[in-house]
Amino acid sequence: MLVDTRSCESSAHACSHKRSEDGCADCKVRLISVCSVLALAELEELELLSQHLSFEKGQALFGQGEAANSVYNVIEGALRLTRLLPDGRRQVMGFALPGDFLGLALQERHSVSAEALGPVKTCRFGRHDFAAVVEAKPHLLRSLHERAGYELNLAQDQMLLLGRRTAEEKVAAFLLSLRDRFARTGRCSVTVELPMGRQDVADYLGLTIETVSRILSRLDRAHTILVVPGGVRLLDQDRLRRLAAS
């Protein structure tokens, strides 16, 4: 079966559009999103500018090089952020989870592609409309600055991952980072969901898929983790933290 990978910004048929059935005040991710600083009346104002979109696995919110006309708040699901290198290789730059905002960079065109790893729901705002709201609300601007700082920390962590760590240390750090990011959404569990495939993890960590699979199997045999369908259970988080801190 062919998967439609056209982006929503380039094709109206790549995803479904609808107004929110629940108001912004009832949004599942409002308390962990930049919108959390807005009062109820301000949320109603913001909702008038919003549009809910649903995506299936493999569909794209936007593609690398496309005009950045919208910003998106991820409500449900996970997305893979990729960049196509000049030599044709694909680099996974990161993963977007509920509460993340996409498209806030100042560039006129997207520097990455954003593809759904499974069913995804987002809230979309026109970029200029959203910018006007931000300009009129300094507290929302401060919230965006805090979000930018959080994303900068994630980028610095990624640079460290791709630096001088061993493959095992990279995998351990990745699992703990993903656990912490899910915890921000209220999903605190020793079982960490892995919505991305092992090839995605390998491309993100600068490893081969064989290396990622071998390390997960080794950690499983050592009872540090337990590989389960759709994710891993962190059995010995102290050992994972020691590995990640190496």
Side-chain angles (χ1 to χ4, degrees):
M1 179 179 69
L2 294 178
V3 178
D4 186 355
T5 58
R6 294 173 297 171
S7 75
C8 182
E9 293 191 354
S10 62
S11 171
H13 303 291
C15 55
S16 61
H17 306 244
K18 64 178 180 178
R19 298 296 299 176
S20 172
E21 296 176 354
D22 301 310
C24 285
D26 300 314
C27 176
K28 297 178 180 179
V29 297
R30 182 175 70 85
L31 295 180
I32 60 171
S33 181
V34 297
C35 309
S36 62
V37 298
L38 298 179
L40 290 179
E42 294 174 316
L43 287 171
E44 292 175 358
E45 176 186 346
L46 188 64
E47 186 179 4
L48 294 175
L49 305 175
S50 69
Q51 185 179 45
H52 276 209
L53 289 79
S54 297
F55 298 84
E56 298 301 326
K57 181 178 180 179
Q59 291 183 333
L61 273 73
F62 50 78
Q64 180 179 340
E66 289 184 0
N69 297 322
S70 306
V71 297
Y72 302 85
N73 188 17
V74 182
I75 300 173
E76 293 181 14
L79 300 110
R80 174 179 55 230
L81 308 179
T82 62
R83 181 176 296 172
L84 191 63
L85 304 179
D87 60 6
R89 289 180 298 165
R90 183 193 74 160
Q91 175 64 49
V92 175
M93 306 300 294
F95 304 97
L97 301 178
D100 288 343
F101 251 80
L102 300 175
L104 292 173
L106 298 178
Q107 296 96 326
E108 293 300 319
R109 296 190 174 275
H110 293 293
S111 61
V112 298
S113 297
E115 299 166 340
L117 291 168
V120 166
K121 293 183 180 180
T122 72
C123 190
R124 182 175 74 173
F125 304 91
R127 184 176 179 182
H128 295 298
D129 290 338
F130 190 77
V133 173
V134 171
E135 185 175 355
K137 303 184 187 304
H139 50 305
L140 182 56
L141 179 60
R142 287 194 296 271
S143 181
L144 286 171
H145 284 166
E146 292 174 0
R147 168 65 62 169
Y150 169 72
E151 293 182 353
L152 178 59
N153 286 335
L154 289 180
Q156 291 172 337
D157 289 343
Q158 170 66 354
M159 291 176 63
L160 183 59
L161 275 179
L162 296 177
R164 305 181 69 176
R165 282 179 166 171
T166 67
E168 190 174 49
E169 292 164 357
K170 289 180 180 181
V171 172
F174 172 75
L175 294 177
L176 289 175
S177 174
L178 198 58
R179 178 208 60 184
D180 292 343
R181 293 185 65 194
F182 276 127
R184 290 184 68 253
T185 71
R187 295 157 66 181
C188 299
S189 173
V190 295
T191 300
V192 177
E193 179 186 351
L194 293 179
M196 67 292 294
R198 292 188 180 185
Q199 185 64 64
D200 294 328
V201 176
D203 289 346
Y204 179 65
L205 298 178
L207 303 171
T208 65
I209 187 173
E210 293 81 9
T211 298
V212 170
S213 296
R214 185 171 62 252
I215 291 170
L216 290 176
S217 297
R218 183 191 308 160
L219 293 173
D220 186 291
R221 289 194 302 271
H223 304 293
T224 303
I225 66 171
L226 176 65
V227 178
V228 297
V232 297
R233 189 166 298 156
L234 309 185
L235 302 179
D236 190 344
Q237 296 188 41
D238 288 338
R239 179 166 187 259
L240 283 175
R241 279 191 287 267
R242 289 195 297 273
L243 285 172
S246 300

